[in-house]
Amino acid sequence: MAKFGAGLVSGFAPADAQDVAFLRLKEPPPDGVRPLSRGSSQGAARHPFQEFGLPSASPEERIWEDGHILEETLMQGRKVMPLKSLEVTPGFSGSHVFDSAAGWMVGMANAIAARDESAARIWPISTENLIEEARRKVASNLAAGEWDKILQEP
């Protein structure tokens, strides 16, 4: 697997956890490689999702998990879209949440609630909240026009 250098643009701590960093590749990716499309999490309830992670049960191999996006709710005064999965384990934090029905990324896995007998709950950060945080934390450190360029990238 090829490795690429990246520089830290900024980091922030949602819910007092250092979970989010904005990176910029130092060089273009190889031909044929493109980032995931990102889109709104609005209307994603009841859609299937996929995540790609590195759980402790398989530290050498990355694996896929799937489940369903649940109805939006409030947590700590912020809108969140909880996820439900039979397969989730620790090790997926930081993974994209890919809405399989919409065909784009709707968030980033952030926390896993306690498992019960049927499934686990995952509390992702929505793309809207990621962009809002980035705007507050990153935009002030960028040259004029850079923020608009970042938002236009796929």
Side-chain angles (χ1 to χ4, degrees):
M1 178 182 290
K3 294 186 179 186
F4 294 90
L8 179 66
V9 175
S10 183
F12 71 91
D16 298 324
Q18 290 288 341
D19 270 354
V20 179
F22 294 93
L23 305 175
R24 177 173 286 152
L25 293 177
K26 292 182 177 179
E27 57 200 51
D31 290 339
V33 174
R34 64 180 186 81
L36 286 173
S37 296
R38 68 177 179 270
S40 174
S41 64
Q42 300 301 309
R46 294 179 296 285
H47 285 186
F49 78 88
Q50 293 179 304
E51 286 184 323
F52 187 66
L54 190 62
S56 59
S58 182
E60 300 295 320
E61 300 292 325
R62 292 159 182 89
I63 62 170
W64 288 96
E65 73 161 21
D66 60 17
H68 284 85
I69 300 169
L70 303 176
E71 294 289 337
E72 188 177 80
T73 187
L74 288 176
M75 179 180 270
Q76 299 175 353
R78 184 172 277 196
K79 290 181 183 177
V80 295
M81 52 167 196
L83 311 174
K84 183 177 180 179
S85 173
L86 298 173
E87 303 167 339
V88 72
T89 63
F92 285 88
S93 294
S95 175
H96 66 277
V97 176
F98 185 78
D99 181 331
S100 304
W104 57 55
M105 185 183 94
V106 294
M108 182 189 81
N110 184 45
I112 298 173
R115 262 189 101 80
D116 65 23
E117 64 282 348
S118 64
R121 296 279 194 270
I122 304 114
W123 300 98
I125 302 170
S126 71
T127 52
E128 292 88 349
N129 285 337
L130 286 168
I131 289 170
E132 174 189 327
E133 290 294 334
R135 187 181 325 269
R136 289 191 345 209
K137 303 290 185 176
V138 178
S140 62
N141 297 326
L142 297 175
E146 277 292 297
W147 179 247
D148 292 331
K149 182 181 174 190
I150 288 171
L151 286 181
Q152 291 172 0
E153 293 173 359

